[in-house]
Amino acid sequence: MLEQILALLPQVIFDGLILGFVYAMVALGYTMVYGVLELINFAHSEIFMIGAVVGVEVFRYLAPHVGNGLLLLLLALVLGGVVAGITAILVERFAYRPLRKRGTTNRLVPLITAIGVSFILQDLVRFIEGLWHNEFFLRMRTVEDLEGSVELFGGAIFAQTKSFILMGVSILMLLGLTYLVNRTKLGVAIRAVAQDLSTASLMGIDPDRIISRTFLIGGSLGGVAGVLFALQYTTITPYVGFLPGIKAFTAAVLGGIGNIPGAMLGGLVLGQLENFFGTYLPILTGGNFGTEYKDVVAFLILIFILLVRPQGLLGQVVKEKV
């Protein structure tokens, strides 16, 4: 058994990294919005799904006309990010902003609104795809340039070209977002609004504009993540965002929600735990527990971590003002 575990270990770690980067990219959107508004934007999982659907449609219609696979992917990433970002702005403008303007203090109200928006977006995409293609189970078109593969460490790891692209884009997203938040005027304004919305307003910052841009950035990141998810896992439905969205939110909490590097770290930890138990649980239990229990074990460990460190791995303890 030990030999089997060790033989599979390199591939398990690599596949866990891929899954972790997907969770991390989605978690960045959750953590951006929560960092500014302390709002758990559950509709972000559907923003992610919309990016994936746009990516599938771009590949469906442009693949016969664009000969270069990387150029096609770049177009899909840009369009997926733009459409998802605009959708996120519309959600903020028509769902969350009216609640904020009314001074709603009950945090359950925006939370329930976010869940409602999530269902609306799911059914809207299902309706459009149903009218357009008479189906809403979509498959990503394969492009030869992106389907290459390589064996590493003497065949211990089988890696696809698109997996390396996913990891590279994820790292660029983390670095770019960190730079934007810490080194630009927009980032200063975002941090000012996050710290104290009223005081930021008195200092000449337009909170509505900054919050809209925060949703635009978070939504665009979610859209790009959706395109890469469709490229990697190929099958997309209007409901595909729910489970990755829940797990990405968990990753954001695990890393310390509101903390950008924490979101990335939480995603990677969750991806490794899930993939580790998905592979090894049947082996370690002699087949009594199958792969379907991977989420149970992974989340039990996460609950334990959060019991020990409730602020998350990189989060800070925040004292409530009386």
Side-chain angles (χ1 to χ4, degrees), residues 55 59 63 67-73 139-151 158-166 227-235:
F59 270 66
N68 189 304
L70 288 176
L71 178 59
L72 181 65
L73 177 60
R139 286 193 64 81
M140 190 73 161
R141 183 170 181 153
T142 55
V143 176
E144 189 176 353
D145 293 354
L146 305 175
E147 294 300 317
S149 60
V150 63
E151 291 186 354
F158 174 79
Q160 294 178 293
T161 302
K162 54 191 179 185
S163 301
F164 291 113
I165 294 173
L166 188 150
V227 175
L228 294 171
F229 179 86
L231 182 70
Q232 182 72 27
Y233 298 103
T234 68
T235 302

Side-chain angles (χ1 to χ4, degrees), residues 46 49 118-128 238-239:
E46 273 52 59
M49 174 272 294
S118 179
F119 283 122
I120 290 170
L121 292 177
Q122 280 181 6
D123 284 331
L124 183 63
V125 171
R126 185 174 64 87
F127 178 73
I128 293 172
Y239 312 105

Side-chain angles (χ1 to χ4, degrees), residues 59-100:
F59 270 66
R60 184 201 298 258
Y61 286 103
L62 295 186
H65 309 290
V66 180
N68 189 304
L70 288 176
L71 178 59
L72 181 65
L73 177 60
L74 182 61
L75 288 172
L77 291 173
V78 171
L79 286 175
V82 168
V83 174
I86 292 173
T87 306
I89 288 178
L90 294 175
V91 168
E92 188 278 327
R93 177 65 183 84
F94 295 105
Y96 301 142
R97 188 181 298 183
L99 297 176
R100 198 170 65 250

Side-chain angles (χ1 to χ4, degrees), residues 187-310:
V188 172
I190 290 174
R191 285 185 281 134
V193 172
Q195 192 167 13
D196 192 323
L197 191 145
S198 301
T199 305
S201 178
L202 291 173
M203 297 180 71
I205 297 173
D206 183 350
D208 288 337
R209 190 175 63 178
I210 297 303
I211 290 170
S212 286
R213 290 184 179 182
T214 303
F215 271 81
L216 172 65
I217 295 166
S220 299
L221 294 177
V224 170
V227 175
L228 294 171
F229 179 86
L231 182 70
Q232 182 72 27
Y233 298 103
T234 68
T235 302
I236 299 298
T237 75
Y239 312 105
V240 76
F242 177 74
L243 201 53
I246 291 292
K247 291 181 178 178
F249 171 67
T250 306
V253 175
L254 175 66
I257 193 161
N259 185 304
I260 293 172
M264 185 64 78
L265 178 62
L268 293 176
V269 171
L270 182 59
Q272 288 295 342
L273 285 174
E274 185 178 324
N275 209 49
F276 184 86
F277 287 108
T279 304
Y280 289 131
L281 205 55
I283 299 174
L284 294 173
T285 62
N288 291 315
F289 291 94
T291 303
E292 64 271 20
Y293 290 98
K294 62 182 181 181
D295 291 338
V296 176
V297 180
F299 274 79
L300 283 174
I301 293 175
L302 293 176
I303 290 170
F304 173 75
I305 293 173
L306 291 174
L307 284 173
V308 177
R309 193 173 170 78

